[in-house]
Amino acid sequence: IAARKSLAGRPPSEVEKLSLFVNEIAWRANEELNPTPRSKLAAAASQFAFVTILTGAASAMVQFASIPVMVMPRLNRDYGYGKSAAKFARYMPIWNTVGVTTTEPNGDVVYSAPSIGTSKMVTSNPVLQRAFEEAVNRQVTTVGNVSIITNNKQTPENTRKSAVGAAAESAYGLVTGLFSGAERLTREMTYMMAFELEYAKTKDFDASVEKAIEVTQDTLFRYDTMERPRILRTGVGSVVGQFKMYAAGMTSFLIRNMYNSMRVVNPKEALPAIHLLSGVLLTGAVFHGLAGSPFYSTIATLIDLILNSGDE
């Protein structure tokens, strides 16, 4: 309502453009409050495709590589290479942990997957502990591409009652949990590094949380339903486009920074964009080579067409 009222008094052409955003936000907000139930068939198809296609070692490596390829260039630009490298070294040992076990009052031993939130560096520091809780409460680290596709969190609705069903559920949770756990750790590490660097710079807790969320969602992208295009939300679109959210996020990232890089009349926007984009492309080339660079196939095809045209 407030957004619609803010359009009053603006030029008609501006109202027409802004109304598109206001209407879309209103539609998405209504969907969040009254979500359309996801088809069980679509969910099963997504889970089957994930298990058969993306449970290879290469898929897991994408999670580990995203920090040096996507996150570190952003931190290097915003906070400097030395400080960012030191913070990266501080958090890297978390990948060597194997989780923690706790004993419940009834005597049950419960295993918790590795998490920065249970590490001593966070539990011994009230500020970091509070910052981590903010990330969890706002689902910055817990909602990712893998967790949404696999839907491997146990709830009263998806818990199997039979012995065979429980065994299958455990096996599925083990396979998918490794990938969702790697994704969660990546997002946790990104968020906490950005928070610490910003907090050391500003000493403003709330501003540092917002900055850490921005860095995490800008470099590792958002996968919650609010961010998804309408066509990828339900039905056939959710199955066909289940693995396209990462591609959509990466495409948006590259286009935005390429556009800002070309704004030579505004160096304050162009230079940071060039710094970030060059860092991502150069670091990425180290990991995936030239063939994995953006537009490689398009450029290669154009070169082939030019070379072949001379043979006629």
Side-chain angles (χ1 to χ4, degrees), residues 106-180:
N106 61 0
D108 291 341
V109 177
V110 179
Y111 169 79
S112 298
S115 172
I116 289 177
T118 57
S119 64
K120 287 186 177 180
M121 73 173 73
V122 171
T123 56
S124 62
N125 188 316
V127 174
L128 297 185
Q129 191 171 19
R130 182 181 164 203
F132 186 85
E133 290 172 356
E134 282 286 332
V136 174
N137 292 337
R138 297 169 70 167
Q139 297 186 323
V140 178
T141 57
T142 55
V143 175
N145 196 28
V146 176
S147 64
I148 288 179
I149 292 175
T150 59
N151 189 29
N152 61 357
K153 294 183 179 180
Q154 289 191 1
T155 65
E157 289 76 16
N158 66 13
T159 300
R160 306 297 178 87
K161 304 300 182 182
S162 66
V164 175
E169 183 181 275
S170 298
Y172 177 75
L174 177 62
V175 172
T176 58
L178 295 174
F179 290 84
S180 60

Side-chain angles (χ1 to χ4, degrees), residues 42-271:
S46 298
Q47 294 168 2
F48 177 78
F50 179 87
V51 171
T52 55
I53 297 174
L54 293 182
T55 49
S59 300
M61 282 301 297
V62 171
Q63 301 299 331
F64 296 103
S66 60
I67 292 181
V69 173
M70 296 296 297
V71 178
M72 292 307 295
R74 172 64 182 269
L75 298 182
N76 291 336
R77 185 198 71 177
D78 292 352
Y79 305 103
Y81 287 82
K83 293 180 179 179
S84 300
K87 201 62 63 179
F88 180 73
R90 168 177 161 84
Y91 277 95
M92 271 304 294
I94 192 65
W95 293 100
N96 295 326
T97 60
V98 294
V100 296
T101 55
T102 56
T103 303
E104 298 292 317
N106 61 0
D108 291 341
V109 177
V110 179
Y111 169 79
S112 298
S115 172
I116 289 177
T118 57
S119 64
K120 287 186 177 180
M121 73 173 73
V122 171
T123 56
S124 62
N125 188 316
V127 174
L128 297 185
Q129 191 171 19
R130 182 181 164 203
F132 186 85
E133 290 172 356
E134 282 286 332
V136 174
N137 292 337
R138 297 169 70 167
Q139 297 186 323
V140 178
T141 57
T142 55
V143 175
N145 196 28
V146 176
S147 64
I148 288 179
I149 292 175
T150 59
N151 189 29
N152 61 357
K153 294 183 179 180
Q154 289 191 1
T155 65
E157 289 76 16
N158 66 13
T159 300
R160 306 297 178 87
K161 304 300 182 182
S162 66
V164 175
E169 183 181 275
S170 298
Y172 177 75
L174 177 62
V175 172
T176 58
L178 295 174
F179 290 84
S180 60
E183 181 181 47
R184 176 179 48 75
L185 273 177
T186 300
R187 298 181 76 86
E188 288 179 358
M189 184 173 172
T190 300
Y191 172 86
M192 293 304 296
M193 286 196 300
F195 172 83
E196 281 206 57
L197 289 167
E198 184 68 16
Y199 189 73
K201 180 180 177 181
T202 65
K203 299 301 180 183
D204 186 327
F205 180 85
D206 292 333
S208 299
V209 167
E210 294 301 327
K211 179 68 174 182
I213 293 174
E214 176 193 334
V215 171
T216 304
Q217 294 182 337
D218 190 46
T219 57
L220 300 180
F221 317 131
R222 287 181 58 180
Y223 296 101
D224 53 273
T225 53
M226 190 72 175
E227 186 72 3
R228 287 177 173 264
R230 293 194 185 193
I231 194 173
L232 300 184
R233 283 172 169 263
T234 58
V236 177
S238 66
V239 178
V240 175
Q242 60 183 321
F243 303 124
K244 297 301 182 183
M245 282 299 293
Y246 175 81
M250 180 61 76
T251 302
S252 174
F253 175 88
L254 292 173
I255 290 176
R256 282 185 286 111
N257 285 284
M258 285 180 179
Y259 174 78
N260 289 330
S261 297
M262 293 184 290
R263 302 182 68 177
V264 293
V265 295
N266 190 350
K268 289 185 177 181
E269 290 190 16
L271 293 178

